[in-house]
Amino acid sequence: MKRRVVITGLGAVTPVGVGTQNFWEAICAGKSGIGPITRFDAQNYPSRIAGEVKGFQVEDYIPKKEIKKMDPFIHYAVAASTMVMEDAGFTISKEEAHRFGALIGAGIGGLSTIEKYHEKVLKYNGPKKITPFFIPMLIINLASGQVAIRHGLRGPNSSVVTACATSTNAIGDAFKIIQRGDADGMITGGTEAVITPMGVGGFCAMRALSCRNDEPSIASRPFDKGRDGFVMGEGAGLILLEEMNHALKRGAKIYAEIVGYGMSCDAYHISAPDPKGEGAFMCIETALKDAGVDSTEVQYINAHGTSTQLNDRVETEALKKLFGPHSRKLLISSIKSMTGHLLGAAGGVEAVATALTIFYGIVPPTINYETQDPYCDLNYVPNQSQKMDTRVALSNSFGFGGTNASLVFKKFEP
């Protein structure tokens, strides 16, 4: 029999709040974390808004001498992992350290570090001003590596890079590691910090970003007819996955159980989704089959919902095709309407939100939903959170390269 896997700790560093409780209260209240970019002078950029993390004090989580050895995306991961372990009320002993690991991804990694030291190479005509920590600062697996060092995790250690599906793949892979018996617990999810001149500039060049610069708080509007692109965000969302009996033995608080994981690829285009939604359909179908859950049992979907014209339409079409008449009964929401799109960290933050939706029985809203798109005509929980005893939920993440990932969550019952 497959081992059961539960969620026992949560950590969130987000544009709407630092700390899981602050994050949860903000999204339930429909608070936007989008504003003008302050990380650099963006006056010459078509899009000048983003979901920046505010009020984050890195010194609260990392010793001062270590801070300069890490890129901000690693800062966020270490901070979120500290929140996770504090929330779980658990310190890993040396005796079981080899049974606990970390699997944390990022979509892009240390872009700000690359930009900073590239400028130094040009300024000083060579590498003499490059820090010896340059490579460990920017490579994506060092998020998992630094978290493992911080918490003494000697079990499986890896990372995932699948664009906007990164975190959901990371959580799904960690779920399978525990399910098959290779570990008893994993800190997993994603982190991202690429609100930089090149990061924003690259997405501007693709014409993927919202240009509603004068109204940043209403710029991210998934499924709304007036959407004009996504809004970049940053932060980290991590969870502690634990084998059920291990969690019960120590009396852990259990937020939810993960029961299914699906992956697929559109094999269609480097950035655009398959307009027929076949990849998304197969991914969700696989996750439900893995979970042993009938489509009619699903009550809530934390949608990928990026606020781009094509993505929202394709995701809606895939849901209607898979769920049929039941799609009209689903509550569907995109918290990207509040946080912006955290790229590789999106699925991690959304997994935190989905676990809390089940735990508290509150479905967060899709804010800025004003005008129905005739192609997006399901219940997107517009503008106000709703109470619902959520027993089965789904979280979707779809990324560049046509990569798709879905997770199925259930209310925990021993």
Side-chain angles (χ1 to χ4, degrees):
M1 292 182 64
K2 295 178 180 178
R3 303 197 324 159
R4 294 174 66 182
V5 181
V6 295
I7 301 170
T8 58
L10 306 173
V13 177
T14 80
V16 297
V18 175
T20 305
Q21 194 61 34
N22 291 333
F23 159 71
W24 178 242
E25 290 175 1
I27 64 170
C28 286
K31 176 184 175 183
S32 173
I34 312 301
I37 291 172
T38 65
R39 294 279 190 271
F40 63 94
D41 183 358
Q43 64 177 337
N44 294 324
Y45 285 65
S47 179
R48 301 185 291 277
I49 55 176
E52 298 179 337
V53 171
K54 297 166 282 290
F56 176 71
Q57 301 296 323
V58 65
E59 299 86 358
D60 292 344
Y61 305 97
I62 301 171
K64 192 172 183 179
K65 66 178 182 179
E66 299 297 319
I67 292 172
K68 64 182 180 180
K69 300 176 184 178
M70 307 176 196
D71 184 89
F73 87 98
I74 301 177
H75 293 161
Y76 292 158
V78 172
S81 76
T82 302
M83 297 173 192
V84 163
M85 296 308 291
E86 289 178 353
D87 185 39
F90 183 43
T91 300
I92 298 164
S93 67
K94 289 184 179 180
E95 290 73 24
E96 60 179 352
H98 68 289
R99 298 294 300 168
F100 282 78
L103 209 170
I104 300 165
I108 298 175
L111 188 57
S112 63
T113 294
I114 295 171
E115 292 182 24
K116 175 182 177 180
Y117 286 99
H118 179 251
E119 289 180 2
K120 289 184 180 294
V121 167
L122 296 180
K123 182 176 180 180
Y124 295 100
N125 194 31
K128 61 184 178 180
K129 292 294 183 178
I130 297 178
T131 173
F133 299 105
F134 174 67
I135 298 300
M137 287 172 71
L138 68 92
I139 54 178
I140 288 172
N141 73 294
L142 255 292
S144 291
Q146 290 283 13
V147 166
I149 292 168
R150 176 66 178 267
H151 301 288
L153 313 175
R154 296 195 171 193
N157 187 281
S158 189
S159 62
V160 171
V161 185
T162 49
C164 305
T166 291
S167 290
T168 302
N169 279 135
I171 293 169
D173 291 349
F175 160 62
K176 290 299 179 182
I177 286 172
I178 298 171
Q179 192 180 65
R180 66 177 179 253
D182 290 344
D184 292 327
M186 298 287 292
I187 297 176
T188 182
T191 184
E192 200 81 89
V194 291
I195 300 174
T196 71
M198 294 298 291
V200 176
F203 283 114
C204 282
M206 296 179 72
R207 299 182 180 178
L209 300 181
S210 171
C211 295
R212 202 182 289 257
N213 297 306
D214 296 331
E215 301 175 298
S217 65
I218 63 171
S220 184
R221 43 202 312 116
F223 305 107
D224 181 80
K225 186 178 181 180
R227 64 193 185 277
D228 71 328
F230 76 85
V231 178
M232 286 182 68
E234 63 175 356
L238 300 182
I239 63 178
L240 177 62
L241 294 183
E242 207 171 335
E243 190 273 326
M244 180 189 69
N245 290 323
H246 187 282
L248 291 175
K249 185 177 180 180
R250 69 177 187 84
K253 173 173 64 177
I254 295 175
Y255 288 99
E257 181 175 4
I258 292 188
V259 293
Y261 173 42
M263 293 187 290
S264 74
C265 182
D266 290 355
Y268 173 76
H269 189 270
I270 58 172
S271 58
D274 175 359
K276 295 181 181 179
E278 292 179 358
F281 176 94
M282 288 188 292
C283 178
I284 299 168
E285 185 179 53
T286 300
L288 293 176
K289 183 178 179 180
D290 184 51
V293 167
D294 188 82
S295 62
T296 58
E297 296 179 70
V298 178
Q299 298 162 281
Y300 169 63
I301 296 178
N302 189 301
H304 187 53
T306 59
S307 187
T308 62
Q309 284 290 335
L310 191 55
N311 176 87
D312 294 357
R313 178 176 174 176
V314 167
E315 185 171 12
T316 298
E317 188 61 34
L319 295 178
K320 289 161 73 171
K321 180 180 176 182
L322 194 151
F323 290 94
H326 183 67
S327 64
R328 303 292 172 182
K329 300 178 182 179
L330 293 168
L331 295 189
I332 304 163
S333 66
S334 172
I335 67 168
K336 290 182 180 73
S337 59
M338 297 169 275
T339 64
H341 190 348
L342 274 63
L343 309 176
V349 170
E350 289 156 19
V352 172
T354 305
L356 290 171
T357 294
I358 290 173
F359 189 72
Y360 287 115
I362 301 173
V363 176
T366 304
I367 68 168
N368 304 323
Y369 188 84
E370 296 175 346
T371 306
Q372 181 176 301
D373 181 334
Y375 296 104
C376 300
D377 57 352
L378 300 178
N379 183 352
Y380 304 108
V381 194
N383 304 314
Q384 289 189 326
S385 56
Q386 292 184 216
K387 291 183 178 181
M388 181 174 70
D389 180 18
T390 308
R391 307 192 68 81
V392 181
L394 179 77
S395 184
N396 291 329
S397 297
F398 311 133
F400 284 1
T403 184
N404 307 302
S406 297
L407 292 167
V408 181
F409 299 70
K410 288 186 77 172
K411 179 173 282 192
F412 176 67
E413 295 178 353

